[in-house]
Amino acid sequence: MQQFQSAGYDRALTMFSPDGRLFQIEYAREAVKRGTTSIGIKSKDGVVFAIDKKIKSKLIEPSSIEKIFKIDEHLATASSGLVADARRLVDIARQQAQVNKLKYHEPITVTGLAKYIGDLEQLYTQSGGVRPFGISLIIGGVSDGEARIYETDPSGAIVEYKATAIGLGRDKALALFEDKYEDDLSLDDAIDLAIEGIYQATDGKVTTDSVELSVIKMEDEKYQKIEKDDVAEYVQKLLDRKEAEKEEAERKAEEERKEKEAKKAQAKAEREAKEKAEAEAAEEAAEETNESEDEE
């Protein structure tokens, strides 16, 4: 890769390297990977969005950090990467949602919006003088009586998920979802799983102020931001459970340690008893030999 870069293949968006790669798009993906964690989960009752705000200073107002955006009453998106790029795409998505209402007299579908944003991102991968959007979006909502979640990529590719994560710690969150996700999750269970996904992605660095939650319910198909007090309750519930799991793990580890020590002590006692018995048998054999020699 370094050889190709030195040849200048990463200087122009429209120039392929000899092995068929567009390095500017890969650099945009790196910007996404360095962004904070965003999560989207589909449940039988709707869609859940959760983000890690990653507050770097106590002087920052947590409410000023916005990474979940309402697109329409039934649609929202969570972002990771360059937030300024996200705001631009969100403005375009909101305009398209309104254009669809005026033109077709019906709300835009989740699939339709995801494809529109993906097509737009793709345009920025084949034009000179522009750069790719350094952002990935989780677009989710309820349309046609069905909850859907899509993930967009800086290349313009879109993939539909049942549960997904973008940004820092994505692989850890996806591993958790693959293990615990079920199709019949309730909304509360999905919220709990989303917060646990952030917990895993951030290596346990979760506080009541660092998490933001939003939902779109199937029953009314309306976007709703979870209040701060309710978020704190969900987060504290997870932290209490993790603390209990940690204590249980420590207790089991201590029991296993004591059991191993007991087995080791028992094995040692049995070995010493066997050695003592062998020594006594050897002494008796030696005495019998001596008595036989004396009789002779």
Side-chain angles (χ1 to χ4, degrees):
M1 180 174 175
Q2 292 297 327
Q3 178 184 355
F4 297 146
Q5 287 182 4
S6 63
Y9 292 107
D10 66 336
R11 295 180 183 176
L13 172 63
T14 56
M15 186 178 296
F16 283 94
S17 71
D19 60 346
R21 298 162 69 181
L22 291 172
F23 289 117
Q24 290 295 324
I25 294 176
E26 294 187 16
Y27 298 158
R29 288 182 180 136
E30 286 299 318
V32 173
K33 290 179 182 178
R34 295 172 184 270
T36 54
T37 311
S38 294
I39 285 172
I41 296 179
K42 179 173 70 173
S43 77
K44 65 179 182 179
D45 300 322
V47 172
V48 174
F49 297 96
I51 60 107
D52 171 35
K53 292 186 177 182
K54 198 175 183 178
I55 302 170
K56 298 180 179 180
S57 170
K58 65 181 181 180
L59 300 177
I60 295 176
E61 286 286 356
S63 59
S64 68
I65 301 175
E66 187 179 14
K67 289 184 60 189
I68 302 177
F69 304 90
K70 177 183 176 182
I71 304 297
D72 203 345
E73 290 296 330
H74 66 299
L75 268 172
T77 184
S79 67
S80 184
L82 302 179
V83 180
D85 286 11
R87 288 202 304 270
R88 178 62 183 142
L89 284 178
V90 166
D91 286 343
I92 294 171
R94 287 169 174 166
Q95 290 174 6
Q96 184 60 24
Q98 296 306 309
V99 166
N100 195 89
K101 279 185 179 179
L102 292 172
K103 189 173 183 179
Y104 299 108
H105 305 288
E106 64 180 12
I108 193 170
T109 64
V110 182
T111 303
L113 181 63
K115 288 182 177 179
Y116 182 85
I117 295 299
D119 290 345
L120 178 64
E121 288 182 302
Q122 193 277 332
L123 284 176
Y124 279 73
T125 68
Q126 61 180 87
S127 303
V130 299
R131 65 165 176 80
F133 288 95
I135 198 77
S136 279
L137 298 176
I138 298 174
I139 300 173
V142 179
S143 57
D144 300 327
E146 187 176 3
R148 289 182 178 274
I149 285 179
Y150 288 88
E151 179 187 323
T152 71
D153 180 78
S155 68
I158 63 170
V159 181
E160 186 175 4
Y161 283 91
K162 295 178 180 179
T164 188
I166 53 178
L168 193 67
R170 179 179 191 267
D171 292 340
K172 295 178 182 178
L174 289 182
L176 173 72
F177 297 156
E178 288 177 358
D179 182 48
K180 291 191 174 184
Y181 180 84
E182 297 176 356
D183 291 333
D184 61 347
L185 281 178
S186 67
L187 200 64
D188 280 345
D189 290 338
I191 290 173
D192 189 62
L193 183 59
I195 297 174
E196 187 172 0
I198 292 177
Y199 182 93
Q200 293 291 341
T202 59
D203 295 324
K205 297 175 182 178
V206 172
T207 66
T208 55
D209 290 328
S210 67
V211 176
E212 183 176 325
L213 292 169
S214 293
V215 299
I216 301 174
K217 297 181 180 179
M218 289 280 289
E219 58 184 9
D220 56 9
E221 298 187 6
K222 291 188 181 298
Y223 173 86
Q224 177 186 352
K225 184 177 179 179
I226 304 298
E227 295 296 331
K228 184 178 178 180
D229 291 342
D230 294 331
V231 173
E233 186 176 336
Y234 280 117
V235 172
Q236 192 59 50
K237 178 183 175 182
L238 173 74
L239 294 176
D240 291 343
R241 188 173 76 247
K242 288 297 180 182
E243 184 64 26
E245 290 175 358
K246 182 181 178 180
E247 291 176 356
E248 179 66 16
E250 290 176 350
R251 185 186 64 79
K252 287 184 177 179
E254 181 65 18
E255 288 180 354
E256 289 177 358
R257 185 186 65 80
K258 290 180 178 179
E259 186 177 350
K260 286 180 180 179
E261 290 180 352
K263 288 182 178 179
K264 190 182 294 185
Q266 182 179 357
K268 182 180 179 181
E270 290 176 353
R271 186 173 62 253
E272 290 177 349
K274 183 178 179 181
E275 291 174 353
K276 183 178 179 181
E278 290 175 351
E280 291 176 352
E283 288 179 1
E284 290 178 358
E287 290 177 357
E288 291 177 357
T289 302
N290 291 333
E291 289 177 357
S292 299
E293 291 177 351
D294 293 340
E295 291 177 356
E296 291 178 357

